[in-house]
Amino acid sequence: MSTEERLSDAIPPRTVLLVIGVLLLQLGFILSYVGAFHSPTPSRVTLGVVGPHATVDSLNGLPGAPLDARTVTSERAARQRILDRELTAGLVFDAGSTTDTLLVASAGGPALATAVEQVLTQVEASQGRSVRTVDLVAPEAGDARALTGFYAVVGWLVGGYLAAAALGIARGARPATLRRTVIRLGAMVPYAVVSGLGGALVLDQWLHALTGHFFALWWIGALLTFAAATVTMAFQVLLGVLGVGLTVLIFVILGNPSAGGAYQAELLPTFWRAIGGALPNGAGTEALRNFVYFDGHATQRPLLVIVVWGVAGLLVTFVASALRLQRIARQPPEPEGRHAKHEL
């Protein structure tokens, strides 16, 4: 047996391709996480300014455009728009003193609130003024750095795609019949409901990290789990085992660093900032934070994103399975002798 034959016997060519795929995912993981987090810089952070128009123009003219300032009629209006998630922060100019007031809501992302404070502190200092920060909505005592929602989203998504992958490993990535496809998809419904319930119990009742919104946590978790499961099944039907790798690419390599967990979208480079809100990771993180801390304001869009992913995964799984089975049914049967040879 030649050396080439020995290598092929020990490591089949298919396995080599899989290992190369794993290597690419590994390098993609490093590139995505380091690329997203290595240099967080504020970009066009929405800021309401209660003060002269000249102040707004000056802030919008800062190098690198860290702020997107717009005039607000009063401090009360600025506070309300922050709570409604229309603004990230507010600056209230005090003509009677040299100290202005910065309004933030650090529960929406402490890193972003800190970045805005740093920018305005430097601007005010250059004008001989100072800024006093008022935090309108701080994270709960059990939600350090407002990261609990992000980690919960990661857990629900991981549970969804691992459950779907496990079904594929146990009984084949591509279901042999439409009935099996329907059963697999149906099995993900109770799994998602239980997954969401378990996560809500941990977050609210056990650890008291996010309290007072048990049912919102439950059903957001269930939606995320179901979306991850159906998308994974869809990729498996389309690509077989390689579909799991594509799932990891979307939910782990791209989804997690762009989700607004440690660093919010306005602090990320353009690519991650652009994709974050369109992926279930970012949509789930935003929905959880807005339900828990901002009375459910601005949750329609992120919830719609999660639902769209779930429905798309469901439809693609069903349609792709049906088309594949039709294609197999139209293929001519193998010759009898060849079939017998395969059986031997």
Side-chain angles (χ1 to χ4, degrees):
M1 183 180 290
S2 66
T3 302
E4 182 178 344
E5 290 173 332
R6 291 192 186 96
L7 286 173
S8 179
D9 179 65
I11 308 176
R14 177 183 173 87
T15 303
V16 173
L17 292 177
L18 289 174
V19 171
I20 292 174
V22 171
L23 175 63
L24 292 176
L25 286 176
Q26 169 194 319
L27 296 177
F29 185 98
I30 296 171
L31 173 62
S32 185
Y33 279 71
V34 177
F37 297 152
H38 77 288
S39 181
T41 304
S43 176
R44 302 194 64 79
V45 180
T46 54
L47 175 74
V49 178
V50 183
H53 288 287
T55 302
V56 174
D57 295 337
S58 174
L59 292 173
N60 284 332
L62 293 174
L67 301 174
D68 177 10
R70 67 275 310 263
T71 301
V72 179
T73 55
S74 66
E75 179 177 347
R76 180 179 179 181
R79 286 173 175 263
Q80 190 59 52
R81 292 183 66 181
I82 292 170
L83 296 178
D84 291 344
R85 303 298 279 155
E86 296 176 10
L87 294 173
T88 299
L91 179 65
V92 182
F93 184 80
D94 187 350
S97 74
T98 58
T99 301
D100 299 327
T101 301
L102 172 63
L103 306 173
V104 298
S106 62
L112 183 57
T114 300
V116 174
E117 183 178 12
Q118 290 174 344
V119 170
L120 290 176
T121 297
Q122 293 177 1
V123 171
E124 295 271 293
S126 68
Q127 300 172 354
R129 303 180 66 83
S130 61
V131 65
R132 176 180 66 93
T133 301
V134 176
D135 194 348
L136 302 181
V137 187
E140 295 185 22
D143 184 17
R145 304 295 297 168
L147 286 172
T148 298
F150 166 68
Y151 288 125
V153 167
V154 171
W156 279 315
L157 290 174
V158 167
Y161 68 70
L162 286 183
L167 286 177
I169 292 172
R171 301 296 295 176
R174 291 165 168 160
T177 65
L178 272 181
R179 183 170 65 90
R180 185 174 291 178
T181 299
V182 172
I183 291 173
R184 285 191 185 183
L185 289 170
M188 287 299 98
V189 174
Y191 176 83
V193 172
V194 173
S195 177
L197 174 60
L201 287 170
V202 171
L203 295 173
D204 189 346
Q205 302 298 309
W206 184 11
L207 297 180
H208 306 291
L210 299 176
T211 60
H213 298 81
F214 181 83
F215 288 101
L217 296 174
W218 181 355
W219 292 108
I220 291 174
L223 284 174
L224 287 166
T225 303
F226 185 76
T230 60
V231 169
T232 303
M233 286 186 178
F235 288 151
Q236 286 180 314
V237 171
L238 293 172
L239 302 172
V241 176
L242 295 179
V244 178
L246 186 55
T247 301
V248 172
L249 173 65
I250 291 176
F251 290 124
V252 179
I253 294 176
L254 297 178
N256 285 346
S258 64
Y263 294 112
Q264 289 64 62
E266 295 88 342
L267 299 175
L268 298 176
T270 303
F271 173 74
W272 290 268
R273 186 166 65 248
I275 68 172
L279 297 178
N281 312 58
T285 301
E286 183 181 356
L288 276 181
R289 283 177 174 162
N290 289 350
F291 261 111
V292 172
Y293 291 115
F294 299 96
D295 295 327
H297 290 292
T299 55
Q300 291 183 350
R301 189 202 62 79
L303 287 177
L304 179 61
V305 169
I306 300 170
V307 170
V308 166
W309 276 89
V311 172
L314 187 74
L315 293 177
V316 171
T317 300
F318 188 79
V319 172
S321 294
L323 293 176
R324 176 176 172 273
L325 293 173
Q326 287 179 3
R327 186 171 65 252
I328 293 174
R330 287 196 299 266
Q331 292 177 351
E334 291 184 342
E336 191 171 317
R338 182 181 175 187
H339 182 69
K341 180 179 178 181
H342 282 181
E343 287 186 336
L344 290 175

